[in-house]
């Protein structure tokens, strides 16, 4: 909403500095998005009368004009064809400045001295008209500052109006708030009433089929002479952001902007009947709106029709072309109606059609302002369009809207705001807003105006009190939170541990979009019948809710590679979405952890660089296992979806598979456009966090020496090291303090499909030194267990 | 030999030993000198042997002299040995030089995403104020995302949200949450009073990722519900938070606004952290930076979750984490947060 200050001043004598007014508007909740002062840069431009126009001796297209600027006379060179003796025009003498900071100087043009220039509308920043010199009103005083004459000293506040304040979609609503804030008088003059006669009602009929969606319709009939609007009215509309059209349409727009009272003017001669029927649309019905578009209307839309039920307008949204006011219009029917906000909102949304009128109707206009709004338009038409109104009006208003009566307790105001206002202060705060108050003491009845449909409940009035006293004057306090302990839950702390472990392991956290492309889901081997879809995506690439986090990381790796950054180590923790379990409504949503490492591990010159491998991904997830101190987590060789078939493992926590780790399938890596190899992991973080933790009971440290032995076995390739270690642990029992693999090798001598694994075992007893015999027995037991369980041979 | 002679011999031997040690150039030389002057065939051995033949009165005097000699020799040997081994080590160290600025074996530490860092800082600020951290699903139903928050069906404010709907339930019944506010409802539905929670998380809009828009962004929501919570408590809490997070010099202010789920509602702004209120490009010359929305929980919301608005009251606030990071660190455009360019990730 653009509000010119001069217009605001029609209703309240506001003379505070612009900055103070702007601050007040913001404090009132009418957010100032911009302040325009169109004439700020213009200085020294005055009204002057053209005394005589002479041809330029040296140029066909130029003329010389002698002008009287009040304080003297001078001569200028002018290129505009429209000048004539007697015209009063804006004159910028040498030394004057124009928009853009351009300062005029006395200079010769084709040999003739020009003491400044005459200005077009465009040169004064008044729109696009550069066809000729701007003509000022004949009565303009010579020498008068054109900023005053043209209203260029005006200030326009560009306000963002919240949906609860329809009244502030009109200048009067803004002025009312400002008057209250500055403690100034406020008055909206009443236009001459239509009169109680029923002449108008005798000439047109109005029939409302649906008085829920159209509770009121006021019509007035006015004879008019259509023509351009006077300069002052056109200027105000322009400043407020609307384009002047003709005096009749401009008056309807003027009243809409002034009073938040949308009006529509129909060419009465085009209305069959003459009369109006307000009805809902029929299935399959169409009509052509003012903008020339044929629109399908239906039962959701309310139509203004003539007596033969032919649609003239989509109620509250846009008129039709046929009954539009044109140059041939001589008499109009002025519509001033009230439509149910929800009905306009739905209809406007369905049609994809918004207008200044619909924006106001859907927020809620004043049903009790219909008649005076029409009267105001008639008053203006009388002034500027030779309007002659038929006395009286048609007013169909079967169920008048009463002003709501709302209980208002000062104690409640203070309890919610944390203030200590007296009842008198509460009343003083809200009265200037047009709210009447009955009763005295703590418990009052406030009677809200119908132009403020947002005032229905006590809390709505409390908000008004807060707004009026100023939110920033309310004493600041802190609530007592002592009845609750602040902190993170165990799960939240563990999630931080996981993330920190990965950061410590050299991975950086990525945040990828949760909406992904179906192709990306397929590429990582997730079935497309196990996904949740969006119903109104803007692009197919963002149409699925991610069932896995990895695709986003693969995309991130590919994008980085595209920027010449192929070496990445990323992880992400975030929600994934699967179809609901059983009969749940919402998606099966859980936290996943994904890891992605690509490119080269750069270690030169300390040691050679090497390409990433699956063990880098294993390191990352093991850092997490260790941070969480998981008791039972195993890697079980298994081809994970989207992973390399022989270079990936299932991660099994407490016997339950919770995801995979390993090398990404080369086909998937190629499809995403990352280099190869690329490795990673995707784990169900919820399951991981639920995993049992190691027993943290202290194990006493044995004081006795240990005995270490090494054992090497020839094994089939598909026997995992982890499986052998598990066997060794079983055989070694509590005496086996530690075991690890220290060598792996394959050779022709071992044969295809075979490898040798060497293990270092450390034995120790808690209560004494193990004897040589005991260690020998433990060694034999270990060898027997591995050779029996895994068809292995001891290498000697 | 009497006591005087014995002492003289020892003194001379010590002087000779010191000379020998001084001229020793290797550890082996030191060892030789030690053997020569302290060993079995040395002067000190002869004196020790001769002590038995001395007058009883002389014996303690010579004994003392012997101990003095042994200590002095040991000290001289140790000093020379240290000096020689230090020199020897220095030579070896010169050959063992490593340039530790070359790099290392391990990957350097990674980086938390800037949004996570901001989220943690904010969580920690509010935890210190006595808050807990609440979470909720990102796929929400109409009740939690809209209706319970006082957006009745057809409410114009719903249309302002660019909702991305999900193919579950009835049409437009399930959606990607458009704000973290549904966690307010879930918190009030499941927790006992008093409730002091913050709820960070992802929120969604039906927009395509470009320089200025993102279909995904993060918010943090705050909610306090108890008996006697006031607007003054809201203003005080926001000030405590802003001065903790941005520093004492930053002040907060509130401007009336409108949200369906709070009343009175306000926008909250902080004095510009760049120009300290003077007016600059970042704050559009206003001296203030808008952070987010807040207000007292609307009575309709309390009623929706079965609380009595006459008995309890509450406040809520919310703001965008990306916006916070943009304000604090000047990151732009918003797309940067989701591109995951490692040059960005490694900046923070």
């Amino acid at each position: 909403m653009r509000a010119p200050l001069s217009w605001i001043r029609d209703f309240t004598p506001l003379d505070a500095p612009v900055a103070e007014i702007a601050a007040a508007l913001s404090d009132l909740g009418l957010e100032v998005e911009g302040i325009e002062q169109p004439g700020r840069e213009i200085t020294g431009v005055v009204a002057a009368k053209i005394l005589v126009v002479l041809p330029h001796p040296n140029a066909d297209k130029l003329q010389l004009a002698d002008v009287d600027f009040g304080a003297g006379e001078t001569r200028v060179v002018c290129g505009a064809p429209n000048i004539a003796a007697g015209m009063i025009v804006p004159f910028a003498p040498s030394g004057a400045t124009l928009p853009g900071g351009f300062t005029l100087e006395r200079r010769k043009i084709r040999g003739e001295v020009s003491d400044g220039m005459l200005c077009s509308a465009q040169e004064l920043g008044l729109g696009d008209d550069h066809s000729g010199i701007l003509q000022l009103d004949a009565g303009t005083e010579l020498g008068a500052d054109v900023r005053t004459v043209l209203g260029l000293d005006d200030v326009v506040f560009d306000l963002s109006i919240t949906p609860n304040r329809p009244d502030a979609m009109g200048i009067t609503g803004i002025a009312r708030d400002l008057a209250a804030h500055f403690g100034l008088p406020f008055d909206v003059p009443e236009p001459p009433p239509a009169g109680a006669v029923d002449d108008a009602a005798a000439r047109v009929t109005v029939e409302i089929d649906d008085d829920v969606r159209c509770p009121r319709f006021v019509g007035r009939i006015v004879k008019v002479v259509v023509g351009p609007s006077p300069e002052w009215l056109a200027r105000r509309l322009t400043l407020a952001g609307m384009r002047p059209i003709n005096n009749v349409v401009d008056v309807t727009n003027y009243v809409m902007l002034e009073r938040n009272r949308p009006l529509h003017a129909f060419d009465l001669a085009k209305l069959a009947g003459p009369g109006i029927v307000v009805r809902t649309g029929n299935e399959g019905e169409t009509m052509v709106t003012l903008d020339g578009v044929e629109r399908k209307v239906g039962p959701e839309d309310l139509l203004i029709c003539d007596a033969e039920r032919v649609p003239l307008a989509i109620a509250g949204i846009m008129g039709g072309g046929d009954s539009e006011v044109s140059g041939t219009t001589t008499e109009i029917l002025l519509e001033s109606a009230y439509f149910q906000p929800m009905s306009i909102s739905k209809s406007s949304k369905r049609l994809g059609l918004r207008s200044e009128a619909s924006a106001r109707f859907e927020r809620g206009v004043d049903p009790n302002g219909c008649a005076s709004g029409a009267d105001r338009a008639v008053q203006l038409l009388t002034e500027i369009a030779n309007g002659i109104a038929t006395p009286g009006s048609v007013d169909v208003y079967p169920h008048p809207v009463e002003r709501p009566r709302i209980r208002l307790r000062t104690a409640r105001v203070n309890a919610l705001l944390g203030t200590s206002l007296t009842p008198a202060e509460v009343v003083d705060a809200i009265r200037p807003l047009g709210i009447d108050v009955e009763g005295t003491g703590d418990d009052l009845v406030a009677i809200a105006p119908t132009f403020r449909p947002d005032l229905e409940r006590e809390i709505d009035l409390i908000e008004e009190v807060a707004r009026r006293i100023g939110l920033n004057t309310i004493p600041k306090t802190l609530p007592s939170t002592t009845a609750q302990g602040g902190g993170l839950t165990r799960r939240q702390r563990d999630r931080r541990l996981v993330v920190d472990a990965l950061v410590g392991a050299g991975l950086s956290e990525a945040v990828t979009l949760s909406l992904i492309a179906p192709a990306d889901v397929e590429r990582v081997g997730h079935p497309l019948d196990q996904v949740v879809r969006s119903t109104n995506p803007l692009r197919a690439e963002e149409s699925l809710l991610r069932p896995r986090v990895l695709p986003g990381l693969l995309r991130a790796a590919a994008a980085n590679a595209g920027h010449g950054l192929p070496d990445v180590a990323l992880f992400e923790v975030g929600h994934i979405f699967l179809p609901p379990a059983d009969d749940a409504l919402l998606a099966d949503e859980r936290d996943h952890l994904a890891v992605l490492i690509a490119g080269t591990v750069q270690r030169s010159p300390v040691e050679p660089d090497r390409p990433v491998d699956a063990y880098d991904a294993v390191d990352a997830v093991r850092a997490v296992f260790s941070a969480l101190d998981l008791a039972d987590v195993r890697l079980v060789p298994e081809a994970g979806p989207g992973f390399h078939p022989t270079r990936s493992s299932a991660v099994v926590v407490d016997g339950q598979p919770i995801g995979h780790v390993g090398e990404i399938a080369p086909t998937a890596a190629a499809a995403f456009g990352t280099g190869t190899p690329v490795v990673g992991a995707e784990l169900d973080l919820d399951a991981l966090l639920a995993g049992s933790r190691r027993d943290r009971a202290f194990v006493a440290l044995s004081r006795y020496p240990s005995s270490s032995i090494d054992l090497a076995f020839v094994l089939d390739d598909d026997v995992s090291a982890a499986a052998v270690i598990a066997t060794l642990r079983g055989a070694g029992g509590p005496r086996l303090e530690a075991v690890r693999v220290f060598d792996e090798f394959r050779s022709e001598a071992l044969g295809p499909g075979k490898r040798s694994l060497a293990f270092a075992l450390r034995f120790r007893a808690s209560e004494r030194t193990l004897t040589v015999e005991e260690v020998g027995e433990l060694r034999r037991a270990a060898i027997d267990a591995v050779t029996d369980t895994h068809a292995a041979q001891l290498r000697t | 030999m009497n006591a005087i002679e014995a002492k003289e011999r020892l003194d001379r031997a010590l002087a000779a030993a010191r000379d020998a040690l001084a001229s020793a150039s290797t550890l082996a030389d030191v060892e030789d000198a030690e053997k020569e002057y302290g060993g079995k065939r040395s002067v000190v051995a002869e004196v020790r042997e001769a002590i038995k033949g001395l007058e009883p009165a002389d014996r303690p005097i010579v004994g003392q002299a012997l101990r003095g000699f042994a200590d002095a020799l040991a000290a001289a040997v140790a000093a020379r040995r240290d000096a020689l081994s230090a020199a020897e080590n220095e030579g070896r160290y010169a050959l063992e030089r490593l340039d530790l600025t070359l790099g290392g074996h391990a990957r350097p530490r990674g980086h938390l995403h800037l949004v996570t860092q901001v989220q943690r800082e904010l969580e920690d600020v509010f935890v210190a104020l006595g808050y807990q951290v609440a979470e909720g699903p990102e796929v929400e139903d109409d009740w939690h995302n809209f209706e319970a928050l006082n957006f009745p069906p057809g409410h114009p404010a719903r249309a302002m949200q660019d909702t991305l709907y999900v193919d579950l339930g009835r049409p437009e019944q399930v959606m990607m949450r458009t704000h973290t506010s549904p966690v307010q409802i879930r918190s009030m539905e499941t927790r006992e009073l008093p409730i002091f929670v913050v709820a960070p998380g992802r929120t969604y809009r039906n927009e395509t990722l470009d320089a200025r828009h993102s279909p995904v962004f993060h918010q943090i929501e705050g909610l306090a519900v108890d008996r006697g919570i006031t607007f003054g408590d809201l203003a005080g809490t926001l000030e405590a938070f802003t001065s903790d997070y941005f520093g004492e010099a930053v002040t907060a202010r509130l401007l009336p606004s409108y949200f369906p789920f709070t009343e009175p509602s306000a926008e909250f702004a902080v004095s510009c952290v760049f120009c300290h209120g003077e007016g600059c490009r970042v704050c559009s010359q206003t001296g203030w930076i808008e952070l987010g929305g807040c207000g007292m929980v609307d009575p309709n919301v309390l009623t929706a979750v079965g609380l009595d608005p006459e008995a309890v009251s509450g406040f809520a606030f919310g703001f965008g984490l990306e916006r916070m990071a943009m304000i604090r660190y000047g990151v732009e455009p918003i797309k940067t947060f989701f591109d995951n360019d490692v040059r960005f990730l490694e900046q923070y």
Side-chain angles (χ1 to χ4, degrees):
Chain A
M1 175 76 192
R2 292 168 55 89
L5 180 56
S6 65
W7 205 343
I8 292 170
R9 286 187 178 136
D10 282 1
F11 308 104
T12 184
L14 178 61
D15 57 4
V18 171
E20 251 178 64
I21 298 172
L25 286 165
S26 288
D27 281 342
L28 287 160
L30 307 174
E31 188 192 347
V32 179
E33 292 199 318
I35 302 172
E36 287 172 31
Q37 293 175 271
R40 205 183 47 201
E41 291 177 316
I42 300 174
T43 61
V45 182
V46 296
K49 184 175 189 173
I50 299 177
L51 300 171
V52 59
V53 177
L54 303 165
H56 191 293
N58 307 321
D60 292 347
K61 293 194 172 169
L62 297 178
Q63 301 183 84
L64 306 177
D66 288 343
V67 296
D68 174 358
F69 55 93
E73 293 178 13
T74 190
R75 172 172 287 188
V76 292
V77 177
C78 182
N82 72 327
I83 55 171
M87 270 171 68
I88 304 208
V89 295
F91 166 53
S94 59
T97 57
L98 293 177
F102 169 58
T103 303
L104 287 143
E105 286 170 21
R106 186 182 165 91
R107 64 186 183 108
K108 273 190 181 172
I109 300 171
R110 304 288 293 269
E112 290 290 321
V113 171
S114 185
D115 192 13
M117 67 183 272
L118 307 182
C119 305
S120 69
Q122 188 203 36
E123 282 157 347
L124 293 172
L126 283 172
D128 307 334
D129 190 357
H130 193 45
S131 61
I133 300 303
L134 180 66
Q135 192 165 352
L136 303 177
D137 285 348
T140 310
E141 189 190 334
L142 301 187
D145 189 330
V146 296
R147 286 188 304 173
T148 320
V149 175
L150 292 172
L152 289 172
D153 51 351
D154 213 340
V155 178
V156 181
F157 297 102
D158 191 356
L159 305 176
S160 164
I161 305 296
T162 52
N164 60 326
R165 289 298 307 278
D167 66 302
M169 294 292 278
I171 300 292
T172 53
I174 297 163
R176 183 182 296 106
D177 266 17
L178 284 170
H181 183 88
F182 287 102
L184 296 169
F186 171 78
D187 182 44
V188 181
E190 277 299 316
V197 294
D198 54 6
D199 296 11
R203 292 190 58 198
V204 289
T205 56
V206 170
E207 186 188 331
I208 299 175
D209 282 2
D210 185 343
D211 65 12
V212 173
R213 288 159 74 177
C214 177
R216 188 177 190 186
F217 190 106
V218 172
R220 290 207 62 185
I221 298 168
V222 192
K223 275 194 160 54
V224 291
V225 177
V226 177
S229 289
E231 199 278 331
W232 68 266
L233 193 149
R235 187 176 71 231
R236 276 198 172 168
L237 289 184
T238 306
L239 286 176
M242 293 196 83
R243 181 185 288 270
I245 295 166
N246 61 50
N247 51 4
V248 175
V249 172
D250 290 352
V251 162
T252 61
N253 284 334
Y254 187 90
V255 175
M256 172 177 74
L257 294 171
E258 184 175 85
R259 298 171 179 234
N260 188 37
R261 162 45 42 205
L263 300 170
H264 192 75
F266 296 100
D267 186 334
L268 188 63
K270 309 248 175 82
L271 263 64
I276 291 289
V277 173
V278 184
R279 65 167 172 88
T280 52
N282 300 319
E283 288 291 354
E285 195 169 3
T286 62
M287 78 162 286
V288 178
T289 44
L290 269 177
D291 50 9
V293 179
E294 182 172 24
R295 297 180 187 274
K296 285 183 187 164
V297 292
E300 304 87 359
D301 307 305
L302 197 62
L303 302 177
I304 310 295
C305 307
D306 64 16
E308 291 175 0
R309 305 180 81 84
V310 175
L312 306 171
I314 303 173
I317 299 175
M318 194 172 277
D322 294 343
S323 57
E324 189 182 354
V325 171
S326 68
T328 61
T329 303
T330 57
E331 197 168 24
I332 59 163
L333 172 69
L334 199 60
E335 167 207 305
S336 180
Y338 176 70
F339 303 111
Q340 186 196 33
M342 188 77 80
S343 156
I344 299 298
S345 160
K346 278 186 182 161
S347 182
S348 156
K349 188 180 167 196
R350 197 189 64 77
L351 292 164
L353 186 59
R354 281 178 61 82
S355 62
E356 290 282 341
S358 73
R360 287 173 169 79
F361 280 121
E362 71 181 28
R363 289 167 187 237
V365 300
D366 183 3
N368 294 324
C370 293
S372 65
D375 296 344
R376 171 65 172 148
V378 170
Q379 179 187 32
L380 286 166
L381 289 170
T382 308
E383 283 173 24
I384 66 154
N386 298 327
I388 301 166
T390 299
S393 65
V394 196
D395 188 351
V396 182
Y397 193 18
H399 311 291
V401 175
E402 299 280 333
R403 293 175 63 180
R405 298 171 62 84
I406 308 160
R407 185 180 189 196
L408 177 59
R409 294 161 293 174
T410 299
R412 188 84 187 123
V413 173
N414 287 327
L416 269 174
L417 297 183
T419 47
S420 42
L421 300 170
T422 63
E425 286 169 324
V426 168
V427 171
D428 286 349
I430 60 174
R431 236 182 206 143
L433 301 174
I435 300 166
D436 293 324
V437 178
E438 279 178 6
T440 51
D442 179 76
D443 209 341
L444 302 165
V445 174
I447 304 158
T450 48
F451 57 75
R452 287 291 304 270
D454 59 317
L455 305 183
E456 296 173 319
R457 305 170 294 164
E458 188 175 35
I459 190 72
D460 302 326
L461 298 170
I462 294 173
E463 178 170 62
E464 292 305 290
V465 173
R467 211 165 60 84
R468 285 281 294 113
I469 63 170
L471 298 184
N472 298 303
T473 66
I474 295 171
K476 290 172 178 158
T477 48
L478 279 177
S480 165
T481 57
T482 48
Q484 173 196 287
L488 299 179
T489 60
R490 165 84 188 264
R491 189 188 132 80
Q492 288 161 350
R493 290 197 308 271
D494 280 349
R495 207 163 43 194
R496 285 194 180 187
L497 273 183
V498 166
V499 166
D500 289 342
L502 289 164
V503 168
L507 286 85
S508 288
E509 187 189 17
V511 174
T512 68
L513 301 186
S514 329
L515 298 155
I516 64 175
D520 286 2
V521 171
E522 284 187 299
R523 283 168 180 163
V524 295
H526 186 90
L528 277 179
D529 59 352
Q530 286 298 305
V531 294
V532 182
R533 290 163 199 275
S534 145
T535 52
N536 57 334
L538 293 178
R539 309 194 307 165
E541 291 93 318
E542 290 157 7
S543 62
L544 294 190
L545 279 61
R546 63 179 180 190
R548 307 266 300 271
V549 176
L550 261 180
L553 292 183
L554 281 159
R555 283 227 166 265
N560 275 294
H563 290 131
L565 305 162
D567 305 333
V568 299
L570 301 174
F571 75 92
E572 180 172 1
V573 166
H575 288 211
I576 59 100
F577 309 87
L578 297 172
D582 306 325
D583 54 354
L585 175 63
L586 299 182
D588 175 6
E589 205 169 317
R590 51 185 72 194
D591 263 332
H592 265 206
L593 161 65
V595 163
L596 193 90
I597 308 173
T600 302
V601 179
Q602 308 243 12
R603 288 182 173 175
S604 62
V606 175
E607 62 183 72
D609 286 348
R610 60 169 179 82
V612 301
D613 59 38
Y615 297 110
D616 290 305
V618 171
D619 280 347
V621 296
R622 283 172 62 168
V624 170
F625 304 154
S626 142
L628 291 174
D629 209 11
L630 292 180
D632 177 13
V633 53
R634 286 177 292 135
L635 300 188
V636 177
E638 179 184 301
F643 284 89
H644 188 297
T646 57
R647 291 183 173 178
S648 60
S649 277
V651 173
V652 177
V653 170
D654 297 335
Q656 294 300 315
I658 64 151
H660 290 89
V661 59
E663 186 174 323
I664 303 298
T667 48
F672 280 98
T674 69
T676 48
V678 52
V679 303
E682 173 130 15
L683 305 179
D684 179 337
L685 184 62
D686 289 316
L688 195 65
L689 296 179
S692 53
R693 309 301 168 91
R694 254 171 7 107
D695 182 4
R696 305 197 77 176
F698 177 64
V699 177
L701 310 180
S702 168
R703 297 183 290 112
Y704 300 94
S706 63
S707 303
S708 294
I709 60 166
D710 294 344
L711 294 174
F713 298 98
V714 177
L715 294 146
D716 283 342
D717 246 351
D718 61 357
V719 177
S720 72
V724 180
I725 286 177
T727 304
L728 288 169
R729 283 197 184 285
R735 305 266 201 241
L736 180 59
E737 189 175 73
V739 55
R740 68 179 192 94
V741 189
F742 69 91
D743 188 43
E744 178 200 28
F745 87 88
R746 294 166 216 272
S747 71
E748 277 183 30
L750 292 178
K754 298 274 187 187
R755 63 174 172 166
S756 158
L757 288 179
F759 299 85
L761 295 85
R762 188 171 74 229
F763 294 102
R764 199 194 307 262
S766 60
E767 70 292 357
R768 60 190 167 77
T769 305
L770 290 172
T771 63
V772 174
E773 292 72 25
E774 282 173 319
V775 173
E777 257 168 50
L778 284 165
R779 181 175 183 277
R780 266 192 304 282
I783 294 166
D784 291 349
V786 172
T787 51
D788 289 356
T789 312
H790 302 293
Q793 278 140 19
L794 182 70
R795 291 186 71 225
T796 47
Chain B
M1 191 164 60
N2 60 24
I4 291 170
E5 279 170 5
K7 276 184 83 175
E8 275 173 7
R9 289 188 66 185
L10 287 174
D11 286 346
R12 279 196 301 275
L14 187 59
R18 279 182 170 145
D19 286 348
L21 283 168
S23 59
S25 58
T26 66
L27 289 174
D29 292 347
V30 174
E31 217 163 290
D32 290 348
E34 190 179 14
K35 209 173 273 173
E36 185 178 347
Y37 295 100
K40 287 179 182 159
R41 296 173 189 285
S42 62
V43 173
V44 69
E46 284 173 26
V47 174
R48 198 176 288 124
E49 197 59 36
I51 202 162
K52 290 170 226 153
L54 293 182
E55 293 294 324
D58 280 355
R59 287 182 196 168
I61 298 168
V62 175
Q64 197 179 355
L66 275 170
R67 281 192 294 280
F69 176 90
D71 289 349
L73 180 65
V77 165
R80 188 61 190 157
R81 192 173 272 147
D82 285 353
L84 284 177
S85 55
E88 210 163 277
N89 282 343
E90 244 166 63
R92 193 169 74 236
Y93 292 162
L95 299 174
E96 287 175 351
R97 181 185 304 278
L98 288 184
D99 176 2
L100 300 190
T101 67
L102 274 180
H105 291 287
R107 278 175 195 281
R109 194 176 162 78
H111 300 259
L112 274 186
H113 195 279
L114 183 57
V115 167
T116 304
Q117 295 186 33
V118 171
Q119 178 180 326
R120 276 197 189 180
E121 281 181 76
L122 295 174
E123 284 175 359
D124 292 348
V125 167
F126 283 103
V127 161
L129 287 170
Y131 286 66
Q132 295 175 357
V133 177
E135 296 169 66
E138 292 170 14
V139 173
E140 266 296 4
D141 53 32
D142 187 80
W143 169 256
H144 290 96
N145 195 70
F146 286 133
E147 190 152 4
L149 287 163
N150 201 29
F151 290 77
H155 192 285
R158 284 188 174 209
M160 293 161 62
Q161 304 257 352
D162 275 331
T163 310
L164 185 65
Y165 290 99
V166 170
D167 188 15
L168 294 172
R170 295 189 310 277
E172 305 203 346
Q173 188 192 4
V174 178
M175 64 216 58
M176 302 310 292
R177 65 179 180 191
T178 57
H179 43 190
T180 42
S181 308
V183 185
Q184 285 184 30
I185 302 300
R186 291 184 178 276
S187 297
M188 288 187 281
E189 282 173 342
T190 55
R191 290 170 185 252
E192 298 291 318
L193 295 183
I195 296 168
F196 292 96
V197 292
V198 284
R202 288 189 182 211
T203 56
Y204 297 83
R205 288 292 149 88
N206 195 7
E207 284 178 344
T208 293
L209 184 65
D210 63 26
R212 291 170 23 162
H213 304 91
S214 174
V216 175
F217 54 101
H218 295 76
Q219 287 186 342
I220 189 165
E221 189 93 3
L223 175 72
V225 182
D226 199 359
R227 292 174 191 280
I229 297 279
T230 68
F231 194 92
D233 290 338
L234 168 61
T237 300
L238 290 175
E239 182 160 276
F241 146 65
T242 52
S243 63
D244 190 338
Y245 188 72
F246 290 108
E248 293 287 342
V250 168
T251 53
R253 78 166 180 178
L254 298 167
L255 296 176
S257 189
Y258 170 76
F259 307 103
F261 44 101
T262 51
E263 185 156 3
S265 297
E267 292 277 354
F268 70 97
V270 289
S271 56
C272 180
V273 294
F274 294 99
C275 64
H276 308 288
E278 299 278 313
C280 68
R281 196 183 61 84
V282 179
C283 60
S284 311
Q285 308 301 331
T286 61
W288 294 93
I289 294 180
E290 224 171 78
L291 279 192
C294 63
M296 299 299 290
V297 179
D298 194 284
N300 288 353
V301 174
L302 294 172
T303 307
V305 295
L307 294 172
D308 176 5
E310 289 282 319
V312 303
S313 55
F315 64 72
F317 57 85
F319 46 88
L321 295 181
E322 283 84 2
R323 180 167 169 74
M324 205 72 156
M326 290 168 106
I327 291 169
R328 195 140 180 222
Y329 305 102
V331 178
E332 57 180 359
I334 189 165
K335 188 174 180 294
T336 313
F337 291 103
F338 303 99
D339 281 345
N340 297 302
D341 189 309
V342 292
R343 290 168 298 172
F344 168 69
L345 300 180
E346 289 171 4
Q347 261 188 53
Y348 294 98

